[in-house]
PDB file of all heavy atoms in Angstrom:
ATOM      1  N   LEU A 974       2.168  21.025  -9.559  1.00  0.00           N
ATOM      2  CA  LEU A 974       2.803  21.914 -10.532  1.00  0.00           C
ATOM      3  C   LEU A 974       4.210  21.530 -11.007  1.00  0.00           C
ATOM      4  O   LEU A 974       4.583  21.782 -12.100  1.00  0.00           O
ATOM      5  CB  LEU A 974       3.033  23.444  -9.859  1.00  0.00           C
ATOM      6  CG  LEU A 974       1.785  24.171  -9.661  1.00  0.00           C
ATOM      7  CD1 LEU A 974       2.049  25.509  -8.906  1.00  0.00           C
ATOM      8  CD2 LEU A 974       1.070  24.553 -11.056  1.00  0.00           C
ATOM      9  N   GLN A 975       4.802  20.865 -10.193  1.00  0.00           N
ATOM     10  CA  GLN A 975       6.136  20.351 -10.546  1.00  0.00           C
ATOM     11  C   GLN A 975       6.116  19.188 -11.583  1.00  0.00           C
ATOM     12  O   GLN A 975       6.954  18.964 -12.323  1.00  0.00           O
ATOM     13  CB  GLN A 975       6.964  19.857  -9.321  1.00  0.00           C
ATOM     14  CG  GLN A 975       7.425  21.007  -8.421  1.00  0.00           C
ATOM     15  CD  GLN A 975       7.964  20.367  -7.152  1.00  0.00           C
ATOM     16  OE1 GLN A 975       8.245  19.244  -6.965  1.00  0.00           O
ATOM     17  NE2 GLN A 975       8.356  21.251  -6.212  1.00  0.00           N
ATOM     18  N   CYS A 976       5.065  18.402 -11.513  1.00  0.00           N
ATOM     19  CA  CYS A 976       5.026  17.223 -12.418  1.00  0.00           C
ATOM     20  C   CYS A 976       3.749  17.182 -13.341  1.00  0.00           C
ATOM     21  O   CYS A 976       3.497  16.219 -13.957  1.00  0.00           O
ATOM     22  CB  CYS A 976       5.143  15.917 -11.604  1.00  0.00           C
ATOM     23  SG  CYS A 976       3.621  15.716 -10.575  1.00  0.00           S
ATOM     24  N   HIS A 977       3.184  18.323 -13.442  1.00  0.00           N
ATOM     25  CA  HIS A 977       2.013  18.302 -14.353  1.00  0.00           C
ATOM     26  C   HIS A 977       2.459  18.274 -15.862  1.00  0.00           C
ATOM     27  O   HIS A 977       3.390  18.919 -16.212  1.00  0.00           O
ATOM     28  CB  HIS A 977       1.206  19.675 -14.186  1.00  0.00           C
ATOM     29  CG  HIS A 977      -0.196  19.577 -14.851  1.00  0.00           C
ATOM     30  ND1 HIS A 977      -0.374  19.726 -16.161  1.00  0.00           N
ATOM     31  CD2 HIS A 977      -1.361  19.426 -14.223  1.00  0.00           C
ATOM     32  CE1 HIS A 977      -1.653  19.701 -16.436  1.00  0.00           C
ATOM     33  NE2 HIS A 977      -2.330  19.449 -15.380  1.00  0.00           N
ATOM     34  N   PRO A 978       1.929  17.410 -16.603  1.00  0.00           N
ATOM     35  CA  PRO A 978       2.353  17.169 -18.031  1.00  0.00           C
ATOM     36  C   PRO A 978       2.306  18.512 -18.912  1.00  0.00           C
ATOM     37  O   PRO A 978       3.353  18.783 -19.575  1.00  0.00           O
ATOM     38  CB  PRO A 978       1.353  16.124 -18.660  1.00  0.00           C
ATOM     39  CG  PRO A 978       0.685  15.513 -17.412  1.00  0.00           C
ATOM     40  CD  PRO A 978       0.756  16.456 -16.334  1.00  0.00           C
ATOM     41  N   ASP A 979       1.392  19.378 -18.641  1.00  0.00           N
ATOM     42  CA  ASP A 979       1.397  20.560 -19.464  1.00  0.00           C
ATOM     43  C   ASP A 979       2.634  21.616 -18.972  1.00  0.00           C
ATOM     44  O   ASP A 979       3.156  22.200 -19.812  1.00  0.00           O
ATOM     45  CB  ASP A 979       0.031  21.285 -19.276  1.00  0.00           C
ATOM     46  CG  ASP A 979      -1.055  20.584 -19.988  1.00  0.00           C
ATOM     47  OD1 ASP A 979      -0.786  19.818 -20.818  1.00  0.00           O
ATOM     48  OD2 ASP A 979      -2.200  20.792 -19.520  1.00  0.00           O
ATOM     49  N   LYS A 980       2.790  21.505 -17.705  1.00  0.00           N
ATOM     50  CA  LYS A 980       3.909  22.275 -17.199  1.00  0.00           C
ATOM     51  C   LYS A 980       5.201  21.827 -17.758  1.00  0.00           C
ATOM     52  O   LYS A 980       6.227  22.547 -18.004  1.00  0.00           O
ATOM     53  CB  LYS A 980       3.914  22.241 -15.692  1.00  0.00           C
ATOM     54  CG  LYS A 980       4.872  23.114 -15.047  1.00  0.00           C
ATOM     55  CD  LYS A 980       4.488  24.595 -14.974  1.00  0.00           C
ATOM     56  CE  LYS A 980       5.545  25.382 -14.042  1.00  0.00           C
ATOM     57  NZ  LYS A 980       5.180  26.723 -14.170  1.00  0.00           N
ATOM     58  N   LEU A 981       5.489  20.489 -17.842  1.00  0.00           N
ATOM     59  CA  LEU A 981       6.697  19.846 -18.267  1.00  0.00           C
ATOM     60  C   LEU A 981       6.834  20.119 -19.803  1.00  0.00           C
ATOM     61  O   LEU A 981       7.966  20.323 -20.236  1.00  0.00           O
ATOM     62  CB  LEU A 981       6.675  18.334 -18.052  1.00  0.00           C
ATOM     63  CG  LEU A 981       6.667  17.923 -16.560  1.00  0.00           C
ATOM     64  CD1 LEU A 981       6.564  16.517 -16.420  1.00  0.00           C
ATOM     65  CD2 LEU A 981       7.971  18.558 -15.856  1.00  0.00           C
ATOM     66  N   ARG A 982       5.766  20.286 -20.624  1.00  0.00           N
ATOM     67  CA  ARG A 982       5.946  20.554 -21.949  1.00  0.00           C
ATOM     68  C   ARG A 982       6.349  21.989 -22.136  1.00  0.00           C
ATOM     69  O   ARG A 982       7.246  22.288 -23.097  1.00  0.00           O
ATOM     70  CB  ARG A 982       4.600  20.409 -22.641  1.00  0.00           C
ATOM     71  CG  ARG A 982       4.348  19.012 -23.141  1.00  0.00           C
ATOM     72  CD  ARG A 982       3.208  18.900 -24.148  1.00  0.00           C
ATOM     73  NE  ARG A 982       2.332  17.742 -23.665  1.00  0.00           N
ATOM     74  CZ  ARG A 982       1.166  17.779 -23.240  1.00  0.00           C
ATOM     75  NH1 ARG A 982       0.515  18.810 -23.213  1.00  0.00           N
ATOM     76  NH2 ARG A 982       0.562  16.641 -22.779  1.00  0.00           N
ATOM     77  N   GLN A 983       6.056  22.890 -21.274  1.00  0.00           N
ATOM     78  CA  GLN A 983       6.396  24.251 -21.326  1.00  0.00           C
ATOM     79  C   GLN A 983       7.875  24.452 -21.037  1.00  0.00           C
ATOM     80  O   GLN A 983       8.455  25.375 -21.485  1.00  0.00           O
ATOM     81  CB  GLN A 983       5.650  25.210 -20.358  1.00  0.00           C
ATOM     82  CG  GLN A 983       4.156  25.365 -20.837  1.00  0.00           C
ATOM     83  CD  GLN A 983       3.307  26.222 -19.822  1.00  0.00           C
ATOM     84  OE1 GLN A 983       3.937  26.400 -18.637  1.00  0.00           O
ATOM     85  NE2 GLN A 983       2.079  26.389 -20.002  1.00  0.00           N
ATOM     86  N   LEU A 984       8.464  23.564 -20.249  1.00  0.00           N
ATOM     87  CA  LEU A 984       9.852  23.592 -19.839  1.00  0.00           C
ATOM     88  C   LEU A 984      10.739  22.961 -20.955  1.00  0.00           C
ATOM     89  O   LEU A 984      11.871  22.712 -20.686  1.00  0.00           O
ATOM     90  CB  LEU A 984      10.071  22.946 -18.572  1.00  0.00           C
ATOM     91  CG  LEU A 984       9.366  23.588 -17.247  1.00  0.00           C
ATOM     92  CD1 LEU A 984       9.539  22.874 -16.088  1.00  0.00           C
ATOM     93  CD2 LEU A 984       9.925  25.001 -17.153  1.00  0.00           C
ATOM     94  N   ASP A 985      10.143  22.645 -22.130  1.00  0.00           N
ATOM     95  CA  ASP A 985      10.929  21.948 -23.119  1.00  0.00           C
ATOM     96  C   ASP A 985      11.538  20.667 -22.699  1.00  0.00           C
ATOM     97  O   ASP A 985      12.650  20.351 -22.950  1.00  0.00           O
ATOM     98  CB  ASP A 985      11.930  22.853 -23.768  1.00  0.00           C
ATOM     99  CG  ASP A 985      11.361  24.039 -24.433  1.00  0.00           C
ATOM    100  OD1 ASP A 985      10.192  23.903 -24.988  1.00  0.00           O
ATOM    101  OD2 ASP A 985      11.922  25.213 -24.360  1.00  0.00           O
ATOM    102  N   ASP A 986      10.755  19.877 -21.958  1.00  0.00           N
ATOM    103  CA  ASP A 986      11.196  18.632 -21.518  1.00  0.00           C
ATOM    104  C   ASP A 986      11.368  17.759 -22.739  1.00  0.00           C
ATOM    105  O   ASP A 986      10.572  17.644 -23.601  1.00  0.00           O
ATOM    106  CB  ASP A 986      10.209  17.997 -20.545  1.00  0.00           C
ATOM    107  CG  ASP A 986      10.670  16.832 -19.815  1.00  0.00           C
ATOM    108  OD1 ASP A 986      11.627  16.165 -20.435  1.00  0.00           O
ATOM    109  OD2 ASP A 986      10.109  16.389 -18.824  1.00  0.00           O
ATOM    110  N   PRO A 987      12.546  17.098 -22.931  1.00  0.00           N
ATOM    111  CA  PRO A 987      12.723  16.129 -24.152  1.00  0.00           C
ATOM    112  C   PRO A 987      11.774  15.095 -24.187  1.00  0.00           C
ATOM    113  O   PRO A 987      11.461  14.583 -25.329  1.00  0.00           O
ATOM    114  CB  PRO A 987      14.195  15.663 -23.961  1.00  0.00           C
ATOM    115  CG  PRO A 987      14.497  15.909 -22.524  1.00  0.00           C
ATOM    116  CD  PRO A 987      13.675  17.019 -22.073  1.00  0.00           C
ATOM    117  N   ASN A 988      11.234  14.654 -23.218  1.00  0.00           N
ATOM    118  CA  ASN A 988      10.324  13.561 -23.266  1.00  0.00           C
ATOM    119  C   ASN A 988       9.070  13.794 -22.263  1.00  0.00           C
ATOM    120  O   ASN A 988       8.952  13.348 -21.280  1.00  0.00           O
ATOM    121  CB  ASN A 988      11.051  12.126 -22.769  1.00  0.00           C
ATOM    122  CG  ASN A 988      10.166  10.920 -23.044  1.00  0.00           C
ATOM    123  OD1 ASN A 988       9.116  10.979 -23.552  1.00  0.00           O
ATOM    124  ND2 ASN A 988      10.665   9.904 -22.364  1.00  0.00           N
ATOM    125  N   PRO A 989       8.191  14.629 -22.839  1.00  0.00           N
ATOM    126  CA  PRO A 989       7.112  15.119 -21.985  1.00  0.00           C
ATOM    127  C   PRO A 989       6.032  14.119 -21.630  1.00  0.00           C
ATOM    128  O   PRO A 989       5.383  14.246 -20.567  1.00  0.00           O
ATOM    129  CB  PRO A 989       6.442  16.238 -22.897  1.00  0.00           C
ATOM    130  CG  PRO A 989       6.750  15.957 -24.289  1.00  0.00           C
ATOM    131  CD  PRO A 989       8.134  15.190 -24.243  1.00  0.00           C
ATOM    132  N   GLY A 990       5.889  13.038 -22.324  1.00  0.00           N
ATOM    133  CA  GLY A 990       4.870  12.135 -21.922  1.00  0.00           C
ATOM    134  C   GLY A 990       5.499  10.767 -21.463  1.00  0.00           C
ATOM    135  O   GLY A 990       4.832   9.723 -21.632  1.00  0.00           O
ATOM    136  N   SER A 991       6.553  10.826 -20.763  1.00  0.00           N
ATOM    137  CA  SER A 991       7.193   9.723 -20.260  1.00  0.00           C
ATOM    138  C   SER A 991       6.213   8.997 -19.160  1.00  0.00           C
ATOM    139  O   SER A 991       5.486   9.642 -18.468  1.00  0.00           O
ATOM    140  CB  SER A 991       8.573   9.892 -19.647  1.00  0.00           C
ATOM    141  OG  SER A 991       8.330  10.576 -18.374  1.00  0.00           O
ATOM    142  N   GLU A 992       6.267   7.669 -19.049  1.00  0.00           N
ATOM    143  CA  GLU A 992       5.517   6.955 -18.150  1.00  0.00           C
ATOM    144  C   GLU A 992       5.795   7.261 -16.730  1.00  0.00           C
ATOM    145  O   GLU A 992       4.872   7.296 -15.878  1.00  0.00           O
ATOM    146  CB  GLU A 992       5.748   5.478 -18.434  1.00  0.00           C
ATOM    147  CG  GLU A 992       5.132   4.961 -19.681  1.00  0.00           C
ATOM    148  CD  GLU A 992       3.585   5.103 -19.823  1.00  0.00           C
ATOM    149  OE1 GLU A 992       2.948   4.752 -18.798  1.00  0.00           O
ATOM    150  OE2 GLU A 992       3.127   5.481 -20.907  1.00  0.00           O
ATOM    151  N   LEU A 993       7.076   7.495 -16.511  1.00  0.00           N
ATOM    152  CA  LEU A 993       7.418   7.798 -14.995  1.00  0.00           C
ATOM    153  C   LEU A 993       6.897   9.157 -14.593  1.00  0.00           C
ATOM    154  O   LEU A 993       6.163   9.229 -13.473  1.00  0.00           O
ATOM    155  CB  LEU A 993       8.949   7.950 -14.814  1.00  0.00           C
ATOM    156  CG  LEU A 993       9.478   8.205 -13.487  1.00  0.00           C
ATOM    157  CD1 LEU A 993       9.089   7.190 -12.510  1.00  0.00           C
ATOM    158  CD2 LEU A 993      10.972   8.409 -13.519  1.00  0.00           C
ATOM    159  N   GLN A 994       6.859  10.196 -15.450  1.00  0.00           N
ATOM    160  CA  GLN A 994       6.223  11.424 -14.942  1.00  0.00           C
ATOM    161  C   GLN A 994       4.771  11.353 -14.959  1.00  0.00           C
ATOM    162  O   GLN A 994       4.032  11.951 -14.005  1.00  0.00           O
ATOM    163  CB  GLN A 994       6.549  12.472 -16.064  1.00  0.00           C
ATOM    164  CG  GLN A 994       8.080  12.872 -16.090  1.00  0.00           C
ATOM    165  CD  GLN A 994       8.576  13.640 -17.325  1.00  0.00           C
ATOM    166  OE1 GLN A 994       7.680  13.784 -18.219  1.00  0.00           O
ATOM    167  NE2 GLN A 994       9.668  14.214 -17.248  1.00  0.00           N
ATOM    168  N   ASN A 995       4.055  10.574 -15.783  1.00  0.00           N
ATOM    169  CA  ASN A 995       2.605  10.404 -15.727  1.00  0.00           C
ATOM    170  C   ASN A 995       2.297   9.693 -14.517  1.00  0.00           C
ATOM    171  O   ASN A 995       1.172   9.943 -13.939  1.00  0.00           O
ATOM    172  CB  ASN A 995       2.114   9.685 -17.017  1.00  0.00           C
ATOM    173  CG  ASN A 995       2.077  10.642 -18.201  1.00  0.00           C
ATOM    174  OD1 ASN A 995       1.943  11.840 -17.959  1.00  0.00           O
ATOM    175  ND2 ASN A 995       1.967  10.138 -19.386  1.00  0.00           N
ATOM    176  N   SER A 996       3.092   8.637 -14.119  1.00  0.00           N
ATOM    177  CA  SER A 996       2.690   7.747 -13.007  1.00  0.00           C
ATOM    178  C   SER A 996       2.884   8.678 -11.720  1.00  0.00           C
ATOM    179  O   SER A 996       2.140   8.507 -10.740  1.00  0.00           O
ATOM    180  CB  SER A 996       3.617   6.515 -12.872  1.00  0.00           C
ATOM    181  OG  SER A 996       4.951   6.946 -12.593  1.00  0.00           O
ATOM    182  N   ASP A 997       3.868   9.631 -11.670  1.00  0.00           N
ATOM    183  CA  ASP A 997       4.020  10.467 -10.505  1.00  0.00           C
ATOM    184  C   ASP A 997       2.819  11.316 -10.449  1.00  0.00           C
ATOM    185  O   ASP A 997       2.340  11.558  -9.417  1.00  0.00           O
ATOM    186  CB  ASP A 997       5.303  11.321 -10.570  1.00  0.00           C
ATOM    187  CG  ASP A 997       6.633  10.585 -10.350  1.00  0.00           C
ATOM    188  OD1 ASP A 997       6.522   9.448  -9.841  1.00  0.00           O
ATOM    189  OD2 ASP A 997       7.713  11.047 -10.669  1.00  0.00           O
ATOM    190  N   PHE A 998       2.459  11.975 -11.532  1.00  0.00           N
ATOM    191  CA  PHE A 998       1.271  12.855 -11.515  1.00  0.00           C
ATOM    192  C   PHE A 998      -0.056  12.140 -11.034  1.00  0.00           C
ATOM    193  O   PHE A 998      -0.666  12.570 -10.317  1.00  0.00           O
ATOM    194  CB  PHE A 998       1.004  13.372 -12.959  1.00  0.00           C
ATOM    195  CG  PHE A 998      -0.128  14.157 -13.236  1.00  0.00           C
ATOM    196  CD1 PHE A 998      -0.159  15.564 -12.777  1.00  0.00           C
ATOM    197  CD2 PHE A 998      -1.257  13.792 -13.827  1.00  0.00           C
ATOM    198  CE1 PHE A 998      -1.285  16.335 -12.897  1.00  0.00           C
ATOM    199  CE2 PHE A 998      -2.353  14.597 -13.981  1.00  0.00           C
ATOM    200  CZ  PHE A 998      -2.311  15.814 -13.500  1.00  0.00           C
TER     201      PHE A 998
END
Side-chain angles (χ1 to χ4, degrees):
L974 284 175
Q975 292 174 3
C976 66
H977 195 281
D979 292 341
K980 183 76 168 176
L981 294 175
R982 273 191 226 119
Q983 291 175 356
L984 296 175
D985 295 327
D986 190 341
N988 191 5
S991 77
E992 290 297 317
L993 179 61
Q994 291 167 346
N995 283 338
S996 68
D997 286 347
F998 177 76

